[in-house]
Amino acid sequence: MRGLEILPARMKAIAIVALLVAPLALAGCQDSITDVGSLEDADLDDEAALQSIVNGMGRELSIALGHLALTGAAVSREVVGTGSQTNFGITLGQREGILEPVETEEHWNTAQSARWTAEDGVRRMRALLGDGFASSELAARALLYVGFANRLLGENMCFAVIDGGQEQPAAAFLSRAEAAFTESLAIAERIGSPDLALAARAGRASARVGLGDWAGARSDAEAVPIGFEHAATYSDRELEQYNPIYWANAGLPYRNLSVWSTFYDAYFALTGDPRVRWTIDPAHPEGDTGIPLQVEQKYTGRNQPIRLVTGREMRLIVAEARLRAGDVTGALDAINELRLLAGVEPATAEDLPEAWTALKRERGIELWLEGRRLGDLHRWIAEAAPGEAEDMSGRDTCFPIGTTELDTNPNLP
């Protein structure tokens, strides 16, 4: 991110250390750095600092994911705002599906910060570890953060800008994600870490979806067991690290989002599908505009994780790959694996468009409120994929470049 790249070395070191203090404190560890103001960038070039640097990568990713997942949920109508003014950071324009650069500056900046922090940390680790990087568990974890930060950007942003460079297609982020996941997978397999290997393989499968590599995506997805999960973590010890989707509705003091009038409203009422559960608090049945306050129940605490990849998502990648090959029966089989686990009726389809509708709905249900819906809708609209999904007419499907980037990057028009 240009805003970090142009910092003097000493200031960059201070910025990085600021990212590390909170995760160390949350873990109950002692930070050996006692005088942040005296640090130079080179002071972090110490193997003893690597765990803290990787912790900082995770913290930045969680913050960025929370921002994008919350606003993206309103824009893609996973939820709606219930107030007459800004709802926990969701503006009235965003409720109508409009994403303006001046209002999404924080989304751009936090996501780019997550990417830069992870990539710069990996650069530092390579220099410190040398040949040992290729057999380091910390390196495999760091590369996962590089992959997921770039995937977050690639799925949600309209364009890519890398470290003050020129505007590129958003797929440039996804290519970086794929490369990071591939390297993480190689290290994880080399050191015998199956959980890290599965996270890298599943992450790569999801990045390959956005790149249109369906053979590669399907191959990776088929290798991930259905019960696997890898998530971004949150904490109830500091406001910036709360799960923001939960906190927006926690009632202390916020009651700002509702499932009312969305697809998930009627679908849950009809099926009771636990993946999209919502409830009404009898003490607070409405928002301040009279909108019924139907509160999502996917997240039930400030420290609730947000999933990054799951084996369940992998079944849907397999289903979509089969649909693209014209295999309706095979696609429905994969979809219905998930519906069977959720205890709801199987999906049916008479033809290819109906099967695509089922796939689009199932991805919405399975990945609800995880910061993935806007990216799915964007790619399906761009491809004119068959079947029905949310009506996004007049609504944006990606986040614009932030205003600071536009104002300070000489390589942008």
Side-chain angles (χ1 to χ4, degrees), residues 64-65 67-69 99 101 104-113 115 149-161 167-174 371 374-375 378-379 397-402:
L65 173 60
H67 282 299
L68 284 165
L99 292 168
T104 58
E105 171 80 352
E106 189 173 18
H107 302 78
W108 176 265
N109 286 346
T110 56
Q112 284 280 36
S113 178
R115 178 193 63 79
N150 274 286
R151 190 196 69 179
L152 181 68
L153 285 156
E155 289 185 343
N156 284 282
M157 300 301 167
C158 300
F159 300 101
V161 179
E167 179 181 291
Q168 303 178 63
F173 288 130
L174 296 175
L374 211 58
H378 183 80
R379 67 184 178 84
T397 57
C398 58
F399 287 79
I401 297 171

Side-chain angles (χ1 to χ4, degrees), residues 13-95:
I14 293 171
I16 293 170
V17 171
L19 303 180
L20 310 184
V21 172
L24 284 170
L26 292 175
C29 301
Q30 295 297 318
D31 186 357
S32 61
I33 298 168
T34 58
D35 183 5
V36 174
S38 67
L39 282 173
E40 300 292 334
D41 183 76
D43 292 330
L44 293 179
D45 291 332
D46 184 335
E47 288 191 36
L50 293 185
Q51 180 65 68
S52 298
I53 289 172
V54 175
N55 289 347
M57 296 175 190
R59 181 176 187 274
E60 288 292 282
L61 176 62
S62 293
I63 291 170
L65 173 60
H67 282 299
L68 284 165
L70 180 63
T71 302
V75 175
S76 62
R77 289 187 55 79
E78 291 182 296
V79 291
V80 297
T82 62
S84 57
Q85 302 298 323
T86 296
N87 285 240
F88 198 70
I90 296 172
T91 68
L92 295 180
Q94 289 163 5
R95 286 171 58 179

Side-chain angles (χ1 to χ4, degrees), residues 157-295:
M157 300 301 167
C158 300
F159 300 101
V161 179
I162 309 295
D163 299 337
Q166 297 180 340
E167 179 181 291
Q168 303 178 63
F173 288 130
L174 296 175
S175 294
R176 295 167 84 90
E178 181 186 31
F181 287 133
T182 297
E183 188 175 8
S184 178
L185 174 60
I187 296 173
E189 290 181 333
R190 187 176 299 119
I191 65 176
S193 179
D195 285 348
L196 290 179
L198 287 172
R201 189 177 294 279
R204 187 172 68 177
S206 61
R208 285 175 167 175
V209 166
L211 291 169
D213 177 7
W214 285 99
R218 178 174 177 174
S219 176
D220 278 339
E222 288 176 336
V224 179
I226 197 167
F228 177 75
E229 292 190 0
H230 185 76
T233 58
Y234 293 85
S235 167
D236 60 5
R237 298 191 183 183
E238 61 166 326
L239 179 61
E240 194 174 30
Q241 275 285 281
Y242 292 174
N243 178 317
I245 298 174
Y246 167 78
W247 191 235
N249 275 325
L252 297 170
Y254 304 106
R255 300 182 188 91
N256 287 151
L257 303 175
S258 178
V259 186
W260 175 77
S261 79
T262 68
F263 163 78
Y264 311 96
D265 173 0
Y267 172 76
F268 176 69
L270 178 65
T271 67
D273 192 324
R275 295 173 292 176
V276 292
R277 180 180 288 114
W278 54 261
T279 190
I280 295 177
D281 179 356
H284 304 284
E286 295 182 349
D288 64 25
T289 57
I291 291 175
L293 192 57
Q294 299 172 196
V295 182

